[in-house]
Amino acid sequence: MINFNKSSHLYYLLLGGFFGLVFAGYGIFNKIDAGGSISRDTIAVVNKTPITMESYLRALDRYQNDSKDSLSDDDKSWVLQRLIEEELLVQRGFSLGMITTDNDVRGAIVRTLIASINAEAAAAKPNEENLLEFYNQNKERFTYPATISIKAWVTNSREIAQIAQIKLEAGETLESLKEIRFLNNIPNGLITLRKIREYLGPSIANAIMDSTNSNILNQFIQGRWYLIKIIEKNKDIIEPFESVKNHVENEFIRDKADQKLRKYINNLKESASIIYLDQKI
């Protein structure tokens, strides 16, 4: 849904979508006062630095702009965690004397810390055995996904669907059938199974992939009949290790940097005082 892809590398999350949250902006000098009072506009407190509801809502808005769906409670919690982690990285940057100014340099602090962690990971050159093990455990990263070319029609009539299927199997066109509609929103040429799911739903996509005996499918889904003509279907292609060795090494180093960064952030969290003001988030 939101595409700061949660399953993608943390390194790119922080360098990419994460900065969208960074630049939503909130004051980094707003400490809780000596009396310990907390503003009603505060949603969390990180080492006595409040994260305001206003900054959180701005981050949610920016996050929502990349999604077609409404945000779930898990999504909202995920956004808050990214704001907390950014605050921890910024505070760490201040403690290391990287900068002494305000909001405009938050991104620079985070980038500097990430760059140092990434450089450390890159310095540890993997050997052939390390790379081969990583390749075998992560083959999906080095695989060209299956691609399919189809044409699709839809009708509300079972009888028309049956007639259309006979015509397609005989190599005829469906131009004479007025009660069936051609789906012209599906791109011509080869597309991935994921795209077919987006256009036609998972049931039809799975039926297309499972089809071995016929290139014409007649599927009844939610009160309508779909006619699918499979023009071309290609299986997944896994690149041989030797041909993608450099890519494997880059992915290996990036993965190690992700792990180091996550460990670094988790250590900051464990040693920090984090107070959540809204238990629903």
Side-chain angles (χ1 to χ4, degrees):
M1 63 154 303
I2 302 170
N3 284 329
F4 309 148
N5 186 345
K6 296 180 188 175
S7 63
S8 64
H9 296 302
L10 180 66
Y11 174 73
Y12 284 116
L13 172 106
L14 289 170
L15 283 182
F18 189 41
F19 286 128
L21 303 182
V22 171
F23 296 128
Y26 57 103
I28 56 180
F29 296 115
N30 296 330
K31 297 289 184 182
I32 301 298
D33 61 36
S37 63
I38 299 174
S39 167
R40 290 184 179 180
D41 187 40
T42 299
I43 192 171
V45 181
V46 183
N47 292 327
K48 296 186 178 181
T49 298
I51 295 176
T52 67
M53 179 63 75
E54 180 183 359
S55 65
Y56 170 67
L57 293 176
R58 286 180 185 175
L60 287 180
D61 285 343
R62 191 175 184 93
Y63 200 25
Q64 178 73 76
N65 287 340
D66 288 343
S67 171
K68 297 178 182 178
D69 305 316
S70 58
L71 300 185
S72 68
D73 289 342
D74 285 344
D75 296 326
K76 293 175 183 178
S77 177
W78 186 86
V79 170
L80 179 58
Q81 289 304 312
R82 299 298 77 75
L83 286 173
I84 288 171
E85 290 173 3
E86 183 230 3
E87 177 60 41
L88 288 168
L89 288 171
V90 170
Q91 291 178 12
R92 180 59 177 162
F94 269 88
S95 71
L96 294 174
M98 288 182 178
I99 52 99
T100 55
T101 55
D102 60 13
N103 259 14
D104 295 335
V105 293
R106 295 179 73 87
I109 301 174
V110 177
R111 282 194 297 271
T112 301
L113 284 167
I114 291 174
S116 66
I117 294 168
N118 193 49
E120 181 183 344
K125 281 286 185 180
N127 58 36
E128 184 98 356
E129 184 179 350
N130 296 145
L131 294 179
L132 191 56
E133 181 182 5
F134 182 79
Y135 169 82
N136 288 326
Q137 292 176 351
N138 300 275
K139 285 189 175 179
E140 72 282 354
R141 299 190 188 189
F142 314 106
T143 299
Y144 288 107
T147 53
I148 306 160
S149 177
I150 64 169
K151 291 187 181 299
W153 296 262
V154 64
T155 178
N156 294 323
S157 168
R158 178 179 181 179
E159 181 182 358
I160 293 298
Q162 291 172 339
I163 294 171
Q165 182 174 358
I166 293 170
K167 281 181 169 290
L168 289 174
E169 288 173 346
E172 299 177 19
T173 68
L174 303 184
E175 293 177 358
S176 62
L177 294 178
K178 304 303 181 185
E179 300 90 342
I180 193 165
R181 178 168 58 90
F182 176 64
L183 298 178
N184 56 13
N185 63 320
I186 298 175
N188 293 322
L190 293 166
I191 58 177
T192 63
L193 187 65
R194 180 177 64 82
K195 281 293 181 185
I196 290 178
R197 283 196 181 96
E198 290 177 8
Y199 288 112
L200 297 173
S203 296
I204 293 178
N206 291 339
I208 290 171
M209 282 306 297
D210 293 341
S211 175
T212 55
N213 299 324
S214 174
N215 67 333
I216 306 298
L217 301 178
N218 187 345
Q219 298 287 308
F220 181 70
I221 307 291
Q222 296 182 341
R224 299 198 292 179
W225 281 262
Y226 289 83
L227 274 294
I228 311 295
K229 181 178 181 180
I230 302 172
I231 299 170
E232 185 179 350
K233 182 164 66 172
N234 299 318
K235 296 181 179 179
D236 291 343
I237 300 174
I238 301 175
E239 286 287 341
F241 174 73
E242 289 300 329
S243 67
V244 290
K245 189 174 177 180
N246 289 339
H247 182 39
V248 173
E249 182 173 346
N250 290 336
E251 287 292 303
F252 179 93
I253 292 171
R254 190 176 299 142
D255 191 70
K256 291 301 179 186
D258 293 345
Q259 294 176 31
K260 285 180 178 292
L261 182 56
R262 173 47 59 197
K263 183 177 180 180
Y264 189 86
I265 289 175
N266 286 342
N267 286 340
L268 290 177
K269 279 187 169 183
E270 289 173 5
S271 60
S273 169
I274 300 174
I275 303 171
Y276 295 91
L277 278 299
D278 189 339
Q279 297 302 316
K280 295 180 180 179
I281 300 301

